[in-house]
Amino acid sequence: MISVNQISKAYGAKKEIPALTSVDFEVSKGELFGLIGPDGSGKTTLFRILTTLILADSGTAAVAGFDVEKDMFKIRNIVGYMPGRFSLYQDLSVRENLEFYATIFNTTIEKNYHLIKDIYVQIEPFANRRAGALSGGMKQKLALCCALIHKPEVLFLDEPTTGVDVVSRKEFWEMLKRLKSEGITILVSTPYMDEAELCDRIALIDKGRILEVATPAALVNTMDSPVWAISTGKVYAAMQLLSSFEGIGEVYPFGESLHAVVDAGFKDTAGLKLRLQKAGIADAEVAIISPTIEDVFMHKMKQAPHA
Amino acid sequence: MRNIYYLLRKEFRQIFRDPAILRMIFIMPALQLLILPFAADYEVKNIEIAIVDYDHSDYSMQLTNKLSHSGYFKLMANASSHHDAMEMVSKDEVDMFIEIPKSFEKELVREDKASLSLVINAVNGTKGNLGAAYAMAIVNEFNQEVRMEWIKLPRINPEPMIEVTFSNWYNALSNYQTFMVPGILAVLLTMVGGFLSALNIVKEKEIGTIEQINVSPIRKYEFILGKLIPFWLLGFIILTIGLVISFVVHGIIPGGNIGLLYLFSSVYLLGILGFGLMISNFTYTQQQAMMVAFFFMLIFILLSGLYTQIESMPTWAQKLAWLNPVTYMVEVMRMVLLKGADFWDILPHIKVVAFGGLILNGLAIWSYRKRN
């Protein structure tokens, strides 16, 4: 449904700021595909290329079989795009915004109401309120409604849950699953690793390069080194200490504890605990854990070239 | 076409919901037309004058009376010496003074000629020039009268005298308001067409709504038309409000067919809208658009012949003035409203403005890129 081949894009007068470098991936029909990466990794640039807003410097991309350059007008009829920044008319009401986006796609709210019903009922009490006066979460819901109202074949969601509270985020993802069951292909980007688990497949992207494309489960399995969790009250001191130890790769904070990627042959958790205690980290606890997507991401990022 | 209808409906909803735009459309023209023509007046009256009369004769008294009763001068003081009068000028108490020398009457009677001296503060050049001219005219008239008293009229006047009589046409009382109102109206139309359209398009960029429009099936030309048509129509509303105010408040009864004004405005607004569109293409925030529009607006207004005569500009500036669309609008407004020009009179203006509009819009569409 979406195919991206060797897409590169750089910004600046002399193209001196690379945004995407030889990006390759495929998304099949009806898939919920996640683009996971930190801020500035090139997610939005990729979205803008796929939604025909900007042209790539090199490479080709197609959405639903249409080339993003040659068939841009065909693509614009069949995709829904929700930019990261709220970009609906703030001075029009909720209802008027929805109506406007329905009419310019030559459809009506009633015709595709079933698609947006679950979300729309939540903002319907404010149907006559101006979009600018909605809360953050409500704005996102309205934006999703507007992106869906013409029943797009492909939905592009650029960081739809950034700045949205935990409950709304959860609702949002449940909604995406429902849309998926309607046969809509969804490409969603997020900086939150926990959301990655909810996708069918994910691509890890960093500094404009795709590090890995796999299902969340397979991605975790690609981790060849064990990950240990170290919990202590002296997080910073422990982190510095661990980095100096032999056999320990990356060390990074994870929630309230530390995660360390250790050499494959390294098994002695009790030994590490002892070493830490000797060095003054008396409350150190060490445990072997199964790696999460964030661990994989941190690991891949360190190993990637030019990182 | 269907899309344009929806875009227009959206646009009008937004315009009539924005109190700032409404104020700009209805209150700004009203205020400008009510205040400016009365205030921005070039007629120089009440020139403050002092007299230094060393002569204290009959004739010097007569001349003083003549000056102070002319209506142009306000006699502020009788200074006792040249030095005192000079001091008054330097303290800005008077704008000019006339010095009547000691033997003024004696010389006038005996030698048939006498001299006066006129000292003028020329910081305000217009006022200085006009003051000097008025004073000269009054002194000349006084001179004539004195000579008439003496001459025993011969059968045939040995010196043929040419007397010039004036009759003011189109603006019989040389009323400055009548001259200004059409000009101000022209500038108002330009502001709405140029400013508001530019700001409106840039607003979509600034808020990001243009992204959503760009990923929809709406085409470039539909989006542009959706933006231009509302401001084109608003221009007519402003023109109408302006004409009503100039009739009710300033008593200007159009000399020509008002339809011609609407015809010309319709062509003119297209050009100005194209100009606004251009600005919006090169700016990314409303603030930038505002600054750029303001910069051009100032040049347009000062080079339009609204306040200063184009004929008295240097040649290069005259050329610029005739490249300025506002010049044509001001001219046509005055021609139709005051002189009662007909279609054939303004046809050359229509042609130029239509041509300019084509160029501006062509450039605007060329520079409007939906994607880069």
Side-chain angles (χ1 to χ4, degrees):
Chain A
M1 206 60 185
I2 303 171
S3 74
V4 180
N5 298 307
Q6 293 294 310
I7 286 281
S8 294
K9 172 83 185 173
Y11 293 113
K14 292 174 195 141
K15 299 278 177 196
E16 72 276 21
I17 308 154
L20 292 173
T21 314
S22 307
V23 169
D24 265 315
F25 66 89
E26 301 272 335
V27 179
S28 32
K29 189 170 165 51
E31 202 173 11
L32 176 52
F33 192 92
L35 208 53
I36 318 291
D39 295 335
S41 56
K43 301 190 295 289
T44 299
T45 301
L46 189 55
F47 273 105
R48 289 168 63 83
I49 289 170
L50 291 175
T51 51
T52 75
L53 284 169
I54 54 172
L55 290 176
D57 295 337
S58 61
T60 58
V63 176
F66 298 118
D67 185 86
V68 288
E69 191 173 350
K70 284 179 234 119
D71 303 316
M72 54 185 265
F73 288 110
K74 285 182 186 137
I75 291 179
R76 284 173 190 181
N77 273 305
I78 55 156
V79 303
Y81 175 42
M82 183 177 155
R85 180 174 156 219
F86 181 70
S87 52
L88 298 175
Y89 292 100
Q90 313 237 4
D91 44 1
L92 293 183
S93 72
V94 168
R95 176 100 199 157
E96 283 164 347
N97 264 302
L98 198 55
E99 201 177 85
F100 176 69
Y101 285 103
T103 49
I104 60 175
F105 281 97
N106 205 0
T107 180
T108 58
I109 300 178
E110 290 69 33
K111 221 163 140 185
N112 294 318
Y113 189 71
H114 65 282
L115 271 180
I116 59 162
K117 187 173 164 263
D118 294 330
I119 328 161
Y120 190 64
V121 288
Q122 297 177 40
I123 47 174
E124 205 157 23
F126 315 107
N128 292 321
R129 189 181 286 187
R130 290 185 193 181
L134 290 176
S135 69
M138 294 283 179
K139 277 182 183 165
Q140 294 302 89
K141 283 170 189 160
L142 174 60
L144 183 61
C145 286
C146 288
L148 275 174
I149 195 63
H150 59 285
K151 197 174 195 319
E153 290 179 36
V154 185
L155 192 57
F156 291 96
L157 306 169
D158 191 2
E159 300 200 5
T161 54
T162 299
V164 174
D165 68 79
V166 186
V167 178
S168 294
R169 265 171 69 185
K170 223 175 150 211
E171 283 174 2
F172 206 93
W173 277 91
E174 273 161 24
M175 214 129 53
L176 294 189
K177 279 186 186 157
R178 237 170 286 141
L179 291 172
K180 196 184 92 114
S181 65
E182 296 267 354
I184 297 175
T185 309
I186 303 170
L187 181 64
V188 58
S189 75
T190 178
Y192 302 127
M193 303 289 166
D194 56 329
E195 290 182 344
E197 323 251 356
L198 305 167
C199 300
D200 294 336
R201 278 197 306 149
I202 48 180
L204 297 183
I205 181 169
D206 184 53
K207 297 190 177 73
R209 290 165 191 277
I210 300 277
L211 303 178
E212 192 75 56
V213 179
T215 63
L219 196 71
V220 171
N221 285 337
T222 62
M223 192 73 182
D224 40 17
S225 317
V227 179
W228 291 3
I230 299 101
S231 58
T232 167
K234 298 172 181 168
V235 176
Y236 185 69
M239 195 167 144
Q240 281 189 316
L241 207 57
L242 283 165
S243 305
S244 66
F245 286 176
E246 195 121 327
I248 293 186
E250 307 96 60
V251 183
Y252 43 89
F254 193 99
E256 286 178 354
S257 58
L258 288 170
H259 279 192
V261 179
V262 298
D263 284 355
F266 211 65
K267 296 236 159 53
D268 189 9
T269 54
L272 184 67
K273 185 179 167 181
L274 210 66
R275 279 176 79 185
L276 281 169
Q277 280 170 345
K278 270 186 192 154
I281 316 283
D283 60 345
E285 291 294 337
V286 181
I288 299 173
I289 52 158
S290 47
T292 65
I293 288 174
E294 187 166 341
D295 294 313
V296 179
F297 187 85
M298 296 302 278
H299 189 57
K300 299 267 176 200
M301 208 169 79
K302 288 274 157 55
Q303 288 179 338
H306 311 286
Chain B
M1 280 324 277
R2 213 183 46 88
N3 278 344
I4 293 180
Y5 164 73
Y6 292 123
L7 283 168
L8 285 179
R9 193 174 63 175
K10 179 212 93 177
E11 217 56 61
F12 276 111
R13 267 182 185 159
Q14 289 181 297
I15 288 172
F16 288 108
R17 206 165 275 181
D18 186 343
I21 290 192
L22 283 184
R23 264 178 238 139
M24 234 152 129
I25 291 168
F26 294 105
I27 299 178
M28 188 177 79
L31 280 182
Q32 290 212 2
L33 281 171
L34 289 177
I35 294 171
L36 286 186
F38 291 108
D41 193 329
Y42 263 174
E43 224 181 321
V44 177
K45 283 182 201 153
N46 301 329
I47 300 168
E48 292 171 338
I49 191 172
I51 306 267
V52 188
D53 188 353
Y54 287 121
D55 198 36
H56 295 292
S57 64
D58 228 26
Y59 276 147
S60 73
M61 286 292 282
Q62 273 183 38
L63 181 60
T64 308
N65 280 338
K66 218 170 160 50
L67 281 168
S68 56
H69 290 135
S70 63
Y72 296 112
F73 299 104
K74 211 161 124 191
L75 186 60
M76 295 306 284
N78 275 305
S80 54
S81 70
H82 176 90
H83 182 80
D84 284 2
M86 212 53 212
E87 185 122 342
M88 286 175 158
V89 171
S90 61
K91 281 184 184 159
D92 252 346
E93 286 168 12
V94 296
D95 299 310
M96 57 189 275
F97 68 87
I98 287 185
E99 193 179 321
I100 304 173
K102 192 156 180 53
S103 48
F104 178 70
E105 191 183 70
K106 207 160 38 181
E107 279 174 18
L108 196 62
V109 173
R110 282 201 194 143
E111 293 168 36
D112 212 11
K113 63 176 187 190
S115 52
L116 285 170
S117 114
L118 198 60
V119 177
I120 299 154
N121 173 3
V123 169
N124 181 341
T126 318
K127 204 172 182 181
N129 281 336
L130 281 173
Y134 292 154
M136 292 294 280
I138 291 165
V139 170
N140 273 336
E141 209 178 295
F142 171 75
N143 190 21
Q144 293 282 341
E145 282 173 16
V146 171
R147 293 167 71 88
M148 291 296 272
E149 274 179 43
W150 300 339
I151 290 170
K152 292 186 182 79
L153 278 175
R155 256 209 153 77
I156 301 155
N157 198 336
E159 265 183 76
M161 279 178 50
I162 298 170
E163 200 189 339
V164 180
T165 58
F166 301 92
S167 86
N168 291 333
W169 275 74
Y170 311 126
N171 182 4
L173 298 169
S174 294
N175 187 341
Y176 201 69
Q177 284 170 40
T178 314
F179 179 68
M180 280 308 282
V181 168
I184 291 173
L185 206 49
V187 168
L188 277 173
L189 272 189
T190 315
M191 302 250 277
V192 170
F195 259 59
L196 289 187
S197 61
L199 284 183
N200 196 285
I201 297 171
V202 172
K203 188 177 165 194
E204 298 242 359
K205 275 198 206 175
E206 196 175 333
I207 298 183
T209 44
I210 203 156
E211 295 261 284
Q212 289 279 358
I213 295 287
N214 282 350
V215 289
S216 75
I218 290 178
R219 298 296 179 108
K220 270 185 201 184
Y221 74 92
E222 291 173 328
F223 179 73
I224 292 180
L225 282 178
K227 285 290 175 196
L228 298 194
I229 292 172
F231 291 100
W232 193 65
L233 294 174
L234 285 179
F236 292 125
I237 296 178
I238 292 205
L239 180 62
T240 311
I241 295 176
L243 288 174
V244 170
I245 292 178
S246 59
F247 171 70
V248 173
V249 179
H250 303 286
I252 296 172
I253 299 158
N257 189 344
I258 293 189
L260 286 177
L261 284 183
Y262 284 90
L263 173 74
F264 185 80
S265 301
S266 66
V267 180
Y268 174 75
L269 278 168
L270 283 183
I272 287 298
L273 287 167
F275 170 72
L277 194 58
M278 276 247 285
I279 293 180
S280 69
N281 287 339
F282 292 104
T283 50
Y284 296 93
T285 65
Q286 293 188 74
Q287 204 175 10
Q288 288 172 348
M290 195 77 186
M291 288 311 290
V292 175
F294 186 75
F295 167 77
F296 279 106
M297 217 57 188
L298 210 60
I299 294 178
F300 279 177
I301 291 173
L302 290 180
L303 270 182
S304 67
L306 174 64
Y307 292 109
T308 46
Q309 290 295 314
I310 292 174
E311 288 77 6
S312 48
M313 294 176 188
T315 323
W316 58 266
Q318 286 190 29
K319 281 181 184 150
L320 282 181
W322 290 110
L323 280 176
N324 173 3
V326 183
T327 306
Y328 293 89
M329 188 75 220
V330 171
E331 274 253 319
V332 168
M333 278 281 186
R334 284 176 181 160
M335 281 167 77
V336 174
L337 277 180
L338 305 183
K339 280 174 78 179
D342 63 21
F343 176 73
W344 302 108
D345 295 326
I346 65 164
L347 185 62
H349 293 73
I350 294 181
K351 281 183 184 163
V352 174
V353 169
F355 180 68
L358 274 180
I359 292 180
L360 278 174
N361 280 290
L363 284 174
I365 290 169
W366 175 74
S367 62
Y368 173 86
R369 274 156 293 172
K370 206 172 175 182
R371 40 193 260 159
N372 43 4

